[in-house]
Amino acid sequence: QSTWGQHSRIAMRVGIVGTGWGVRVQIPMFRQAGLEVTAIYSRDLKKAQEIAKNLSIPHAFDSVQSLCECSDVDIVSIVSPTHLHAAHTLLALSAHKHVICDKPMASSIAEAHQMLSLSRQFPSQLAIIDHELRFLDCSQAMRKFVVKDKGIGQILAISANFTAPIRFGRNFSWWHEQEKGGGMLGAVGVHAIDLSEYVTNTRFNRLCALRSRMQSELPVKQNPTLKGVNTAEDFAFVIGEAVEKDRTTVSNPIHVSLNVSLMTSTRNRCITVTGTGGWATLDLDKIAFSAFDVSGKSVLEVQDQSKAPDAFIEGTRRLGLALAQSNALSNRGMFDDVACSFEQGIHVLQVVEAIRSSNGHWVDIGKCRASL
């Protein structure tokens, strides 16, 4: 039975900032979960109005501030480009709205700290990063088995592989600008980092990484004779060390390997954790968790009863169910235990900064405080 199975009696009303993932995935999945989508934002008012008409959304805006001030909105889901996350989050928090901010949290650690600082002024308001994979039943099962039940004994190694046949487009866009939060690490790598740490209750503390890109320049759509410089990455390979969050002393660090690649021919998204008593694997392509003892015998399998074609889409539905089950956030205990906080979002940005600054050298993650 799903962890997130009960609907709230009070439907939360959601305003969506963004017309990409927000329209394709969040609107249908949030509605399936029992939430109301009451507002949509696009910088093009006609586009917002057309979406609102086609999807039966009451309000359409070309101003984020107006959406945030709408009395029919309880929670603002920010799925705008990464370099706009901070400005849009600050508007929503200042309007006393709950906030779900897409990953990565911001385009710089300095911006992320501004978001955290303001959120702490409104402790009753929800402020989370949209790491929806945490809400999957298989993710919950792995965390319980590995962390609470100590099902594989002491953790020795964590290996994450996130590859997929994805492109950022043939023309230059913000996705190709590292300073705006673009690149593979922002698109996929942050999920690999966050979920690896979440299901093991660990924290990456040092690493060594290499990055690469397929193209150094891309044509500008408005003027194909011009070329935009690609400053973001398409590939990254990371080795590193992690520590258990609850340990005050570190004797033997946990070994970490992370491989993230976008332009591959096949999809392979999984996390494998090896311990003194066996190993466990979270397979996001199958939306399933499996555990084995040291002899290789299967000891536990959990398969999500998914109603969606992909782990990220199903995770969005489960996030919506968790919001609904929290009874309009009047009972936030279980939800807060699972959701990615702003503090955790900043740590993920620090890991990304360490990867980008490494260039084959070892970097201590705690020292990364600069912009991405």
Side-chain angles (χ1 to χ4, degrees):
Q1 183 178 358
S2 171
T3 306
W4 316 109
Q6 301 296 322
H7 285 192
S8 165
R9 293 181 180 179
I10 305 173
M12 291 196 71
R13 301 168 299 176
V14 184
I16 307 288
V17 176
T19 56
W21 181 262
V23 171
R24 294 193 311 272
V25 176
Q26 287 191 341
I27 290 175
M29 292 300 104
F30 283 170
R31 283 175 166 173
Q32 280 191 30
L35 305 178
E36 292 184 28
V37 178
T38 54
I40 182 72
Y41 160 85
S42 170
R43 58 186 178 181
D44 182 340
L45 181 57
K46 289 184 178 179
K47 182 177 181 179
Q49 291 172 336
E50 182 178 357
I51 292 171
K53 180 180 178 181
N54 292 338
L55 298 180
S56 300
I57 299 172
H59 302 284
F61 297 99
D62 62 355
S63 162
V64 175
Q65 182 169 346
S66 295
L67 181 145
C68 293
E69 293 174 349
C70 178
S71 60
D72 289 333
V73 171
D74 302 310
I75 184 165
V76 179
S77 178
I78 297 167
V79 279
S80 51
T82 302
H83 58 283
L84 300 176
H85 286 179
H88 293 168
T89 295
L90 297 180
L91 285 173
L93 289 171
S94 297
H96 304 285
K97 305 297 185 182
H98 302 294
V99 173
I100 302 174
C101 179
D102 195 16
K103 55 73 206 167
M105 183 174 177
S107 58
S108 75
I109 294 173
E111 286 183 346
H113 276 291
Q114 291 178 355
M115 296 162 66
L116 174 62
S117 178
L118 185 59
S119 72
R120 286 175 170 171
Q121 297 181 32
F122 306 102
S124 63
Q125 291 173 217
L126 177 74
I128 66 167
I129 306 303
D130 184 14
H131 281 296
E132 64 273 85
L133 296 177
R134 290 181 174 211
F135 290 86
L136 295 170
D137 283 349
C138 55
S139 300
Q140 292 298 308
M142 186 168 188
R143 180 176 168 90
K144 179 179 183 299
F145 186 80
V146 171
V147 178
K148 183 178 179 180
D149 300 340
K150 305 294 182 183
I152 60 170
Q154 181 182 347
I155 299 173
L156 301 175
I158 302 167
S159 176
N161 193 59
F162 275 55
T163 64
I166 302 172
R167 295 190 64 174
F168 292 130
R170 299 182 182 278
N171 295 310
F172 183 77
S173 72
W174 71 268
W175 276 111
H176 302 102
E177 298 182 77
Q178 176 178 305
E179 60 274 16
K180 290 187 176 181
M184 166 276 305
L185 287 172
V188 177
V190 289
H191 283 296
I193 295 163
D194 178 76
L195 193 60
S196 294
E197 292 190 334
Y198 176 72
V199 298
T200 57
N201 195 40
T202 60
R203 192 176 185 88
F204 298 176
N205 66 346
R206 65 191 299 260
L207 58 81
C208 177
L210 292 172
R211 301 182 299 137
S212 183
R213 62 181 64 93
M214 291 286 290
Q215 296 173 279
S216 58
E217 294 182 337
L218 292 97
V220 177
K221 185 177 181 180
Q222 293 81 357
N223 188 348
T225 61
L226 297 178
K227 300 290 185 180
V229 178
N230 182 12
T231 59
E233 67 286 309
D234 296 315
F235 312 92
F237 180 73
V238 182
I239 58 172
E241 296 176 355
V243 295
E244 294 182 38
K245 289 182 179 179
D246 297 335
R247 285 180 177 258
T248 56
T249 60
V250 180
S251 53
N252 297 312
I254 298 164
H255 298 283
V256 174
S257 66
L258 172 65
N259 176 39
V260 185
S261 174
L262 287 187
M263 297 164 68
T264 59
S265 58
T266 58
R267 188 184 301 274
N268 183 5
R269 302 167 299 175
C270 65
I271 297 171
T272 299
V273 183
T274 305
T276 54
W279 74 91
T281 297
L282 181 62
D283 188 333
L284 294 171
D285 296 315
K286 297 180 180 178
I287 319 184
F289 160 70
S290 303
F292 306 85
D293 63 20
V294 289
S295 70
K297 178 183 178 182
S298 176
V299 295
L300 180 63
E301 292 187 4
V302 175
Q303 175 75 56
D304 273 61
Q305 301 302 309
S306 176
K307 296 182 179 180
D310 182 79
F312 289 95
I313 298 175
E314 177 63 12
T316 300
R317 189 178 73 89
R318 297 299 176 89
L319 168 61
L321 286 171
L323 283 169
Q325 187 177 339
S326 69
N327 195 26
L329 295 177
S330 62
N331 180 19
R332 284 175 48 177
M334 182 180 292
F335 184 89
D336 285 344
D337 287 343
V338 178
C340 178
S341 67
F342 275 14
E343 290 88 349
Q344 293 163 339
I346 289 175
H347 168 71
V348 171
L349 288 184
Q350 291 171 349
V351 176
V352 170
E353 166 63 13
I355 294 172
R356 286 178 167 163
S357 63
S358 170
N359 195 28
H361 300 284
W362 282 93
V363 177
D364 291 331
I365 292 167
K367 295 180 179 180
C368 295
R369 296 291 186 266
S371 68
L372 289 172

